[in-house]
């Protein structure tokens, strides 16, 4: 029995040593796992803080850019409104100009100084020549005069276009029906569209 007891005691001691060793190994494994887990959690928290910082900076940049775009939109809207007002004023001015020309008591012809072609004619001009706007606009001005005096009128027109006052302001225009109409011509040179 004593012999067995010693064997049992030796086995108990070896078992205890093995149990303590396994317990220590398990404890070390748990501690190592907890250490690694803690390290991963710290790294994750740092990454989340960094992401939050980036997100805050990005949100700040978005807000700043949004504010800039809103300011630009306000300026653009103001510019558009100014342009629309200017265009409206220009249209109204053009309408007044056209109405003034159209209702004038004298015949008015707008002639391009370079080409000599008629660009506009008012009601009195149409009545004077007995022709429609479509028949007059685009014609060379020399076709308004009697053919035997065309050269004289072309020379006078060149003088006027060169801003030289012509010596003769008494002219004749030719009505569509062929008769001559005496007219007095008064001229002004203006720059239209640049």
């Amino acid at each position: 029995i004593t012999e067995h007891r010693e064997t049992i005691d030796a086995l108990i001691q070896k078992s205890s040593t093995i149990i303590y060793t396994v317990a220590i190994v398990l404890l070390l494994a748990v501690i190592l796992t907890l250490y690694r887990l803690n390290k991963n959690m710290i790294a994750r928290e740092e990454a989340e803080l960094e992401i939050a910082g980036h997100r805050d900076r990005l949100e700040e940049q978005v807000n700043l850019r949004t504010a800039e775009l809103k300011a630009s939109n306000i300026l653009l809207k103001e510019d558009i409104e100014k342009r629309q007002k200017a265009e409206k004023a220009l249209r109204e001015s053009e309408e007044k100009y056209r109405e003034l020309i159209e209702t004038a008591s004298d015949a008015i012809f707008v002639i391009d100084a370079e080409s000599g072609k008629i660009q506009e004619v008012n009601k009195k001009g149409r009545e004077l020549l007995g022709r429609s706007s479509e028949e007059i606009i685009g014609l060379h001005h020399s076709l308004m005069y009697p053919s035997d005096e065309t050269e004289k009128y072309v020379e006078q027109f060149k003088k006027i276009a060169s801003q030289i006052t012509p010596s003769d302001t008494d002219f004749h225009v030719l009505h569509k029906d062929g008769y001559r109409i005496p007219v007095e011509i008064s001229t002004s040179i203006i720059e239209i569209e640049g």
Side-chain angles (χ1 to χ4, degrees):
I1 295 194
T2 314
E3 209 178 286
H4 285 306
R5 192 174 184 124
E6 285 176 14
T7 307
I8 292 176
D9 281 341
L11 281 175
I12 291 175
Q13 192 173 10
K14 280 185 182 179
S15 295
S16 294
T17 305
I18 290 173
I19 290 173
Y20 286 132
T21 305
V22 168
I24 289 173
V25 169
L26 288 174
L27 187 60
L28 285 174
V30 168
I31 289 173
L32 183 61
T33 302
L34 287 174
Y35 173 75
R36 286 182 182 163
L37 186 60
N38 186 39
K39 192 175 175 183
N40 287 343
M41 287 174 60
I42 290 171
R44 183 180 175 139
E45 284 179 15
E46 288 174 354
E48 286 177 355
L49 287 173
E50 189 175 338
I51 288 170
H54 287 300
R55 185 182 59 239
D56 291 344
R57 284 191 294 279
L58 181 61
E59 190 172 321
E60 186 178 311
Q61 289 176 349
V62 166
N63 289 337
L64 179 64
R65 187 66 181 135
T66 301
E68 289 173 358
L69 287 173
K70 284 181 180 179
S72 293
N73 281 343
I74 289 170
L75 292 174
L76 186 60
K77 196 181 241 184
E78 289 172 357
D79 284 348
I80 289 170
E81 287 173 1
K82 285 179 187 176
R83 180 170 286 173
Q84 287 173 338
K85 286 179 183 177
E87 287 173 355
K88 181 181 178 188
L90 180 61
R91 275 192 307 274
E92 289 172 356
S93 176
E94 287 175 349
E95 287 171 14
K96 287 179 185 176
Y97 160 79
R98 292 199 187 285
E99 186 176 336
L100 179 67
I101 295 291
E102 188 61 25
T103 59
S105 59
D106 290 329
I108 298 176
F109 296 88
V110 177
I111 302 171
D112 181 82
E114 291 179 16
S115 68
K117 291 188 176 184
I118 301 170
Q119 295 180 328
E120 289 184 48
V121 60
N122 69 348
K123 180 180 177 184
K124 289 292 183 181
R126 292 189 300 271
E127 289 173 0
L128 180 69
L129 299 179
R131 298 175 183 222
S132 68
S133 293
E134 292 77 18
E135 293 174 290
I136 298 171
I137 294 176
L139 281 179
H140 193 274
H141 73 91
S142 62
L143 298 175
M144 293 192 305
Y145 312 116
S147 58
D148 60 329
E149 298 179 357
T150 300
E151 192 173 310
K152 168 186 165 186
Y153 296 130
V154 170
E155 285 303 314
Q156 293 292 348
F157 183 80
K158 285 180 184 176
K159 287 181 182 178
I160 293 167
S162 301
Q163 298 183 348
I164 299 171
T165 306
S167 56
D168 187 8
T169 58
D170 290 323
F171 298 94
H172 290 95
V173 292
L174 195 59
H175 190 274
K176 182 178 182 177
D177 293 336
Y179 57 89
R180 295 173 185 241
I181 302 169
V183 294
E184 185 176 311
I185 295 178
S186 171
T187 61
S188 295
I189 297 177
I190 57 171
E191 189 172 318
I192 299 175
E193 297 178 11

